[in-house]
Amino acid sequence: EASYALPMDFRLTGGVEYDERERNTSAVRVVSTRVKTDETSYRLELRRSLSETVNGAVSFVHGNRGGSEWITTTLNNGAVGSNLMYPMFLADRKRDKFRGVLDWSPSEALSFNFVVEDAKDTYTQRIVGLKDGKAQLYSVDGSYVISEKWQATAWYSRNDTSSNMENCRASTTAS
């Protein structure tokens, strides 16, 4: 991550994040799996102090997730399964996310944080299965310092997530 101070109290920040996860697999699987997933995300953020008590930031994050080769489903009798669909959390994905943050501290004891996010996902690997998805997050939290030893915190968040899938059915004709 690197930041650069711009004129008019703006700060531009760029960052790269890499996340790699390894998983155990079972000899019998009802869905396809992969041993490893990796995701690289690139972030660009513009932040500014709007007043003595208010700070704001907008950011854009682009992420690509991939991983190791897929392991086909295996039935109880040892036969190879169909391998038609992949679990959502393992599937190759491209994600574009916009985020807005506003911090407000009207006093030393009281502070609020507001967050809005909008994300779009694209899944590109399979003919059958996940095609795309989207998510919106709305969040507010507040904190009040009562004394040196006591602090009260409250929050509310709402996350709306959806995805689109394509499937197929086998058809048979009677003769």
Side-chain angles (χ1 to χ4, degrees):
E1 183 173 291
S3 293
Y4 184 75
L6 298 170
M8 299 173 49
D9 291 329
F10 282 99
R11 178 166 296 282
L12 183 64
T13 302
V16 177
E17 182 178 329
Y18 180 76
D19 181 21
E20 181 178 290
R21 298 178 187 222
E22 291 193 28
R23 295 170 175 81
N24 295 327
T25 60
S26 173
V28 177
R29 293 174 296 282
V30 294
V31 295
S32 302
T33 192
R34 56 185 3 165
V35 174
K36 182 173 70 171
T37 57
D38 55 76
E39 184 164 4
T40 304
S41 299
Y42 305 92
R43 178 175 60 94
L44 191 60
E45 178 180 88
L46 186 62
R47 178 173 290 276
R48 182 171 191 248
S49 291
L50 304 171
S51 73
E52 288 185 19
T53 62
V54 179
N55 297 304
V58 291
S59 61
F60 172 74
V61 180
H62 175 76
N64 289 312
R65 181 174 63 199
S68 60
E69 293 297 317
W70 286 95
I71 302 172
T72 305
T73 58
T74 306
L75 306 178
N76 284 331
N77 63 5
V80 175
S82 65
N83 203 30
L84 289 176
M85 294 178 59
Y86 298 150
M88 182 179 207
F89 69 98
L90 298 176
D92 289 355
R93 175 191 74 198
K94 292 185 185 303
R95 171 173 284 169
D96 290 325
K97 179 167 57 172
F98 292 94
R99 180 179 186 156
V101 177
L102 192 67
D103 299 317
W104 178 40
S105 298
S107 71
E108 228 176 271
L110 181 63
S111 65
F112 296 96
N113 181 266
F114 305 91
V115 177
V116 175
E117 290 183 350
D118 184 70
K120 305 273 190 261
D121 294 341
T122 304
Y123 299 90
T124 57
Q125 193 163 26
R126 301 298 293 185
I127 296 171
V128 176
L130 289 165
K131 290 299 175 190
D132 58 46
K134 62 182 179 177
Q136 289 83 36
L137 170 71
Y138 308 96
S139 174
V140 61
D141 62 76
S143 174
Y144 183 71
V145 177
I146 299 165
S147 71
E148 275 187 34
K149 295 184 179 183
W150 288 91
Q151 178 177 331
T153 304
W155 69 92
Y156 172 81
S157 71
R158 178 181 173 94
N159 187 354
D160 294 316
T161 305
S162 64
S163 62
N164 293 310
M165 299 180 72
E166 289 187 2
N167 62 20
C168 64
R169 293 183 186 173
S171 64
T172 57
T173 53
S175 48

